[in-house]
Amino acid sequence: ENVAPVKVKIQGKEKWGYINKKGDFVIEPKYSSAHSFINGKALVTFDRKTVYIDLMGNVLGSVGDPYIDFYDGLRKCTSNRRYGYINEDGKIIITPQFTAATRFSEGLAGVKKRDEKYGFIDTTGNYVIPPKFENVGCFSQGLCNIKIGKKYGYINKSGNIVIKPTFEEAMHFDDNGLAIARKDGKLGLIDNKG
């Protein structure tokens, strides 16, 4: 975007602004945090508010606490200690209502409401896998690590168990189709068959 965030000290306080390629400020340093511009928008924090600004420094919309990366076009946000999701325009798509939430991956996010277990919602906020897990990870290679009772296993995007929960620990699958898992105190690599 030809501008970059930069931190300077003003009257003993650190402030962020944006400079161009010549090193000139194009947006004066007044933010307590600032992130890089993506598609003409950047997240900044000032006066304890996190907002999107445009390349002129105009406020485009406010958000909850920032989670910088977008996944499946959405990013987590918070309001009153509840998680929801916003789109790249800063519009709330899924109202903050969850006490815990993962990022979206492969179109699904693991969410938990108070006194409930984890389930999975789609990008419209509808449950596609009902709450029934003690803990969840993120989908990768069509599978997600989940915890039932005290053991980890894997489900597919329909919510069916494809690798039985027999592990003390289980991570997501990498691009090579392998995941790290711990069984009987030993770490090892498993494939999508377990």
Side-chain angles (χ1 to χ4, degrees), residues 15 30-32 45-50:
K15 294 289 182 185
K30 58 184 174 183
Y31 307 109
S32 56
T45 302
F46 70 102
D47 295 334
R48 297 185 181 186
K49 291 181 187 175
T50 301

Side-chain angles (χ1 to χ4, degrees), residues 45-194:
T45 302
F46 70 102
D47 295 334
R48 297 185 181 186
K49 291 181 187 175
T50 301
V51 297
Y52 280 104
I53 60 169
D54 64 16
L55 289 162
M56 302 298 291
N58 300 314
V59 174
L60 298 174
S62 61
V63 296
D65 295 338
Y67 292 86
I68 300 309
D69 296 322
F70 286 91
Y71 298 92
D72 296 333
L74 298 175
R75 175 181 52 223
K76 283 196 303 186
C77 67
T78 61
S79 178
N80 296 322
R81 294 185 280 165
R82 295 286 186 261
Y83 294 96
Y85 296 88
I86 60 171
N87 67 13
E88 293 180 28
D89 294 324
K91 180 181 176 195
I92 293 174
I93 301 301
I94 300 170
T95 303
Q97 59 190 293
F98 306 106
T99 56
T102 69
R103 66 176 173 82
F104 271 91
S105 59
E106 299 185 10
L108 300 175
V111 295
K112 178 183 187 308
K113 289 185 177 179
R114 187 174 186 196
D115 300 325
E116 286 186 10
K117 294 185 176 187
Y118 280 90
F120 288 87
I121 59 171
D122 62 17
T123 56
T124 65
N126 294 316
Y127 275 99
V128 293
I129 300 172
K132 56 185 174 184
F133 308 107
E134 274 70 42
N135 203 352
V136 298
C138 293
F139 275 91
S140 177
Q141 306 290 320
L143 300 177
C144 182
N145 49 322
I146 50 87
K147 184 177 185 184
I148 297 176
K150 296 184 182 208
K151 298 288 184 174
Y152 286 88
Y154 293 85
I155 60 170
N156 63 19
K157 289 168 52 170
S158 297
N160 299 319
I161 293 174
V162 294
I163 300 174
K164 291 183 181 178
T166 60
F167 303 100
E168 293 121 36
E169 255 182 290
M171 307 304 285
H172 70 276
F173 281 92
D174 65 16
D175 292 338
N176 298 314
L178 299 173
I180 297 171
R182 181 187 309 272
K183 189 171 185 177
D184 300 326
K186 296 178 183 173
L187 277 178
L189 291 174
I190 61 171
D191 63 15
N192 62 6
K193 306 281 187 233

Side-chain angles (χ1 to χ4, degrees), residues 16-32:
W16 288 85
Y18 291 86
I19 59 172
N20 61 20
K21 287 183 177 182
K22 295 178 184 176
D24 300 323
F25 276 99
V26 292
I27 300 175
E28 293 301 315
K30 58 184 174 183
Y31 307 109
S32 56

